[in-house]
Amino acid sequence: MLDLRKQQILQAVVEDYISTAEPVGSRTLARKYRLGLSPATIRNEMADLEDAGYLDQPHTSAGRVPSDKGYRYYVDCLLELQPPSPQERQRIEENLSYRREGTYVVQAAARLVAEFAPYAVLAVMPGLNRSRLRHLQLLPLDDHHLLLVMAADPGVIDTRMLELSTPLDRKERRRLVSLLNRDLAGLTLSDLDATIRQELRDELGPALYEQIMDQLHDVLSGSEPGKVLVEGLVNLLRQPEFQDVQKLTSLLEVLGRQDEWLIDLLRRRVRPGEIGVSIGRENEEEAIQSCALVTAGYEVRGEVVGMLAVVGPTRMEYGRVLGLMREVAEELSRVLDEL
Amino acid sequence: MLDLRKQQILQAVVEDYISTAEPVGSRTLARKYRLGLSPATIRNEMADLEDAGYLDQPHTSAGRVPSDKGYRYYVDCLLELQPPSPQERQRIEENLSYRREGTYVVQAAARLVAEFAPYAVLAVMPGLNRSRLRHLQLLPLDDHHLLLVMAADPGVIDTRMLELSTPLDRKERRRLVSLLNRDLAGLTLSDLDATIRQELRDELGPALYEQIMDQLHDVLSGSEPGKVLVEGLVNLLRQPEFQDVQKLTSLLEVLGRQDEWLIDLLRRRVRPGEIGVSIGRENEEEAIQSCALVTAGYEVRGEVVGMLAVVGPTRMEYGRVLGLMREVAEELSRVLDEL
DNA sequence: AATTAGCACTCTCGCCTGGTGAGTGCTAAG
DNA sequence: CTTAGCACTCACCAGGCGAGAGTGCTAATT
């Protein structure tokens, strides 16, 4: 635990560095922040903070820069969460409330965050497997193709083309459709997968059953995770830490990866109802060890159905971002809950 | 028209510059390409080419660099189109042929191009307005919401949530559904918009008609253009011309713009059956005047339903890209035609 | 014992400098 | 018309230098 004065100095260093992106020296600190201390004293304290690992020194005669540990302490103990401005809050409400489909709401949320904070934003769409099913309907397109339309709880619509090797006549289609549409509301798709299978097999012939089930299985088993959306990439280009194309490349490679990888990345960081922060080397994934992630899950009926994340340099405006994310995630959950 | 020797020299300059990204001098040219000429002669010819506007000189004592006009001449007269390798061709066929939904096929095509060429790729999904309608179906979700499911010709599925201010009972839903699903196959959605309206108004009450039509109209009027996909952004970071974050930023801003803007950009460049090339200053849009665009439309039953574009520096491997795009666009059209 | 003033020291950054090399344009010879 | 020769230009690089910011240490002050 740091004493009060060290805390004040650490806080000043972090906040100054966050706003200027320049190493901060004792003189600047004494001038800008009313600490009532001379530069010399501050120097001593900063030396202590450096020894304790909260600050780094890029080179002997430069100012100090917060280390990952320094940011961590700041976020955990010093940070005051900064709620969005009234204007921002209003924009958030306006933009989220009127949309009728879950995916668009989530997309709008990601855009908003990317607009209000100068970093990149990841959004994981609600996955069908996690959601509660409301409707499952088959539409015959032609005699070899059925279109499976799924409507799940937070206003998520997805469709899937099913291909049949043997044609189905009209009557069989009807039977299949009514079979599937019976008694399904309120089950998760994974439940469906387990409970309805046997019943289906009995009612359909085994051949037809196999064909359809093979393809349904892909969808229902949850191997189809929510899609991932990236917004505000350009924001990163304005950050001085990404002026170096090298770093930018490695980050962009990460953000361009497979959806599964990104979802997994986020899922490990998201806990229901709280905002997660992981800073620099705290991240196991090497490619993002010079970044900070702020993650939030959004929920429908108390269940996390998707995630939002802000990706930026460790020198991130944590106060603003945390406040923003809390607001947006809550509003998002609220709006989706009503769909 | 340039004489043969000037053509050869221009070609050598362009190709050398494309592969090295370094201004090319007379000595290099004489050594690398068997022109049977001394550096001095080449110098004279290059001076002529510069006077005529085909080459630029970054500064007095550097080599020459092709100008936009030089690239244009190269593309129009000197280029030999380089078809993809057998392996590439095989990958293309494999990756496009087995998918059942148009949007995934197009996405796969864009990914392939971005994999085989080190530039960014834009893909415009088939728009519903342009496609031919196969199925239009309404699913009642609850008494205030209908889900409109549209299946159009090149395997395009789209859904749209319709909201009703007054609830519909079961019977009315049925009537609506059967009404809409009757006699629609083979019409474009825009045709539908014009022809069926009156009939619908007669059969439904005017109040209900207005509610539904207002919302249908958005979808059917074609104000809903195909979505735009961007692949291979990271490729650009490897290009020396985008090491400068400035240029990168302006380009990324363009690629991140509204779908409508990008679609409009491409539409003006696409002619059925041919590959379009626009180079540097030839582009009206200021933000891409340091880029080259290679555009191709893909077709279903002879009608352009979507577009692909490669975006890169003017120093682009035109031979490879043109060959690749021709192959991919053709294969794409072929596969979609079969859906 | 804590704080601070003073001072020498370190290190980066920007600027200038001169040398190097690639490439040119010109001229005159082949 | 082509080419060899030559003087010239200019970007690039390395090294040197001064300025400025910031540090750590020491001694004086409170």
Side-chain angles (χ1 to χ4, degrees), chain A residues 15-30:
Chain A
E15 290 178 357
D16 197 71
Y17 186 63
I18 284 177
S19 70
T20 66
E22 303 271 304
V24 8
S26 53
R27 165 178 285 275
T28 326
L29 225 50

Side-chain angles (χ1 to χ4, degrees), chain A residues 316-336:
Chain A
M316 184 185 276
E317 297 173 89
Y318 294 100
R320 268 186 62 74
V321 171
L322 285 169
L324 185 59
M325 283 289 267
R326 194 182 60 176
E327 180 79 14
V328 170
E330 271 174 15
E331 183 67 12
L332 189 53
S333 299
R334 211 178 57 68
V335 170
L336 291 180

Side-chain angles (χ1 to χ4, degrees), chain B residues 130-164:
Chain B
R130 288 300 186 115
S131 321
R132 302 200 162 263
L133 188 67
R134 271 204 313 206
H135 285 268
L136 188 62
Q137 188 113 21
L138 284 171
L139 302 183
L141 293 184
D142 55 46
D143 51 5
H144 278 89
H145 293 97
L146 297 174
L147 185 68
L148 175 65
V149 181
M150 294 161 285
D153 230 1
V156 179
I157 311 293
D158 203 359
T159 63
R160 178 78 171 233
M161 190 91 75
L162 300 182
E163 193 167 20
L164 307 170

